[in-house]
Amino acid sequence: MSDTSCAHLAREAPDGAGENRAARMVHAHDHASALPVPDDAVAALGTRVHLLGAGVERVVEVIARRRGMRATEVHALVVIAAAEPGGVPATPGDLAQTLRLTTGAITGIVDRLVGSGHVRRDPDRADRRRIRLGCREAGRTVAAELLSTLGDRASGVVGALTPAELAVVDRVLGELATALTAYLLSPEARADRS
C-alpha cells in the first residue's frame, strides 16, 4: 500500500484505528485494491519482521566486535555514509533522530568515531554553527562491510527469484522500512523516548 493510501486510512479512522487498519492491508496485484490480512497472518508477519531485525542486530554486533567498536557506532557509520551521496551530510541531530538516542549519547559516539579516525566533523557551508559529519575511508570500510555482509546473505536468498518477484520484495522491504520509520517518528513513539 502506498504511503498516500496509508495516510488516507489513518486520517479517516478515529483514534488512530486507521494506523492499525493500514498495517493489516497488503498489496493486491494492482495498487487500487487491497485485501485485509487475517490476524494470525499479521502476527506471523510481525514475528518474521522481529526475527529479521534481531538477526540484523546480531550481524551488527559481530562486525562491531570484530572492529573493536560498539554496535551504535557501526549504526552511526551506516547513517553517515548513506547521507553523503545525497549531498547533504548528516548532522549529530540526524543521528539522534535516526538512532533514537539522546544528543549526549550521540556526542559520545561522534567523539569516539572522530578520535578513531572513522568520521570527520565539518562546518556546514550554509550555517557555520552547525556541524556536518562525513566518513573517512575507515568509516566507509566498516559501513560497506556491514552492508555487503547483509547484501550477500540477502542475494543468496533471493537469487532464484524472477525480476518481477524481486521487484515485489524490494517494494515490500522499502515500504516496511518507511512504515517503521513513520512509527518511530510518531507522537506515540516519541512520547516513550527517554
Side-chain angles (χ1 to χ4, degrees):
M1 170 175 295
S2 70
D3 294 337
T4 307
S5 301
C6 288
H8 175 73
L9 286 170
R11 277 196 309 274
E12 288 194 345
D15 301 322
E19 291 173 2
N20 291 333
R21 181 167 179 238
R24 292 181 177 194
M25 304 300 280
V26 294
H27 286 281
H29 287 289
D30 65 335
H31 293 286
S33 64
L35 302 172
V37 178
D39 287 343
D40 57 344
V42 170
L45 181 60
T47 298
R48 290 182 193 277
V49 170
H50 175 263
L51 292 174
L52 177 62
V56 169
E57 191 56 36
R58 298 297 83 78
V59 172
V60 171
E61 290 170 1
V62 166
I63 290 172
R65 189 170 43 252
R66 183 182 304 148
R67 297 284 186 158
M69 302 173 77
R70 299 175 185 180
T72 52
E73 294 167 355
V74 174
H75 284 298
L77 286 173
V78 171
V79 173
I80 294 167
E84 289 181 316
V88 183
T91 65
D94 296 333
L95 286 183
Q97 184 174 7
T98 302
L99 301 180
R100 292 186 47 84
L101 296 171
T102 65
T103 54
I106 291 298
T107 298
I109 290 169
V110 170
D111 286 347
R112 288 190 300 275
L113 290 173
V114 169
S116 64
H118 289 89
V119 167
R120 67 180 188 282
R121 288 185 183 103
D122 299 319
D124 188 303
R125 292 180 186 153
D127 181 354
R128 309 264 318 160
R129 297 168 297 176
R130 183 181 302 170
I131 297 296
R132 296 284 180 178
L133 303 170
C135 277
R136 295 192 181 280
E137 190 58 36
R140 278 191 284 279
T141 299
V142 174
E145 180 182 356
L146 172 62
L147 297 179
S148 66
T149 300
L150 295 174
D152 288 347
R153 274 60 199 171
S155 65
V157 172
V158 301
L161 298 180
T162 67
E165 290 170 327
L166 187 56
V168 171
V169 170
D170 183 60
R171 189 188 77 227
V172 169
L173 290 175
E175 291 185 14
L176 178 58
T178 299
L180 293 174
T181 299
Y183 168 75
L184 292 173
L185 297 175
S186 72
E188 175 187 1
R190 285 164 117 22
D192 293 336
R193 187 173 175 184
S194 52

